[in-house]
Amino acid sequence: MGEVTKGGPLNRREVVRRLLAERQDLLVVTGLGSASYDVMAAGDHDNNYYLWAAMGSAAMVGLGLAAAQPEKSVLVITGDGEMLMGFGALATIALRKPANLTIAVLDNGHFGETGMQESHAGRGISLDKVAASCGFSWTGEITDMTGVDELKAKVATRDGLKLATLKIKPENLPRVLPPRDGAYIKNRFRAALGYQPI
């Protein structure tokens, strides 16, 4: 695989802030742990669906939401460890091809929530290349803020299934905890979409 890059130069909080700036009606699903903290640090929003205790499920929740809301852009923000847990989801999502779904993988090459152990991505597994081999319409590895801005523009187009690996610094930043009450998060999200609580 050549020289392995563990993480990259990007600041995770800056990346997420940039992706969510002026977001309008963008629907956001977060992976566990740091991805949720990063989205919360960028500003809580009724259209944020924070996942708790659902390791590996963020991409599949994004698929379901994209299928149910085809007129809205759906952005999954997750980490490399969480995405690796849901590795097979990439094949299922690629077969469905929701044109309004983008998966942004914050790749620091480590399992940040459990002690910064080196992840598979840190050993050379390129999630964007896996997604490309599955048939995603667009994939890429992003290492600078120009690339982040280009990804943000792509999210809004709803012209094909996308996945980007964003190479971030392997660091543990202070936690900014979003709401942890699952029923509250679900009902707030449903209300933002115009549905009654269940």
Side-chain angles (χ1 to χ4, degrees):
M1 284 188 224
E3 186 175 331
V4 175
T5 303
K6 297 173 188 165
L10 294 170
N11 176 285
R12 63 182 313 133
R13 294 272 161 92
E14 187 180 347
V15 165
V16 173
R17 250 191 314 272
R18 188 78 65 91
L19 286 174
L20 298 181
E22 302 171 357
R23 61 184 282 178
Q24 299 176 5
D25 64 349
L26 176 67
L27 304 179
V28 177
V29 175
T30 68
L32 302 192
S34 295
S36 289
Y37 312 149
D38 296 337
V39 171
M40 183 67 180
D44 192 21
H45 196 285
D46 289 351
N47 285 351
N48 290 349
Y49 196 84
Y50 305 104
L51 290 182
W52 294 99
M55 184 71 167
S57 299
M60 289 303 283
V61 171
L63 170 62
L65 186 56
Q69 298 288 323
E71 299 307 313
K72 293 186 183 294
S73 295
V74 177
L75 175 62
V76 173
I77 299 178
T78 192
D80 55 305
E82 202 272 349
M83 191 65 252
L84 284 160
M85 277 291 277
F87 206 60
L90 295 176
T92 300
I93 293 166
L95 291 177
R96 291 292 306 271
K97 294 193 186 326
N100 58 327
L101 177 62
T102 303
I103 301 171
V105 181
L106 303 173
D107 178 7
N108 63 8
H110 292 80
F111 295 108
E113 294 305 302
T114 59
M116 292 300 280
Q117 302 90 346
E118 187 178 54
S119 76
H120 300 60
R123 294 182 178 206
I125 300 298
S126 299
L127 289 164
D128 51 295
K129 291 179 181 172
V130 173
S133 72
C134 289
F136 275 56
S137 303
W138 178 90
T139 65
E141 181 181 284
I142 296 173
T143 59
D144 58 35
M145 293 307 287
T146 299
V148 174
D149 290 336
E150 290 169 356
L151 175 61
K152 181 180 176 179
K154 288 179 184 300
V155 170
T157 62
R158 298 195 296 273
D159 63 353
L161 177 60
K162 304 167 193 72
L163 182 141
T165 300
L166 297 123
K167 303 297 273 187
I168 61 170
K169 296 174 189 170
E171 57 187 345
N172 267 324
L173 299 174
R175 295 181 177 189
V176 182
L177 293 174
R180 296 182 71 178
D181 182 330
Y184 167 76
I185 293 168
K186 173 197 69 177
N187 287 327
R188 181 179 79 164
F189 193 80
R190 285 179 58 82
L193 293 173
Y195 296 103
Q196 294 296 316
I198 55 171

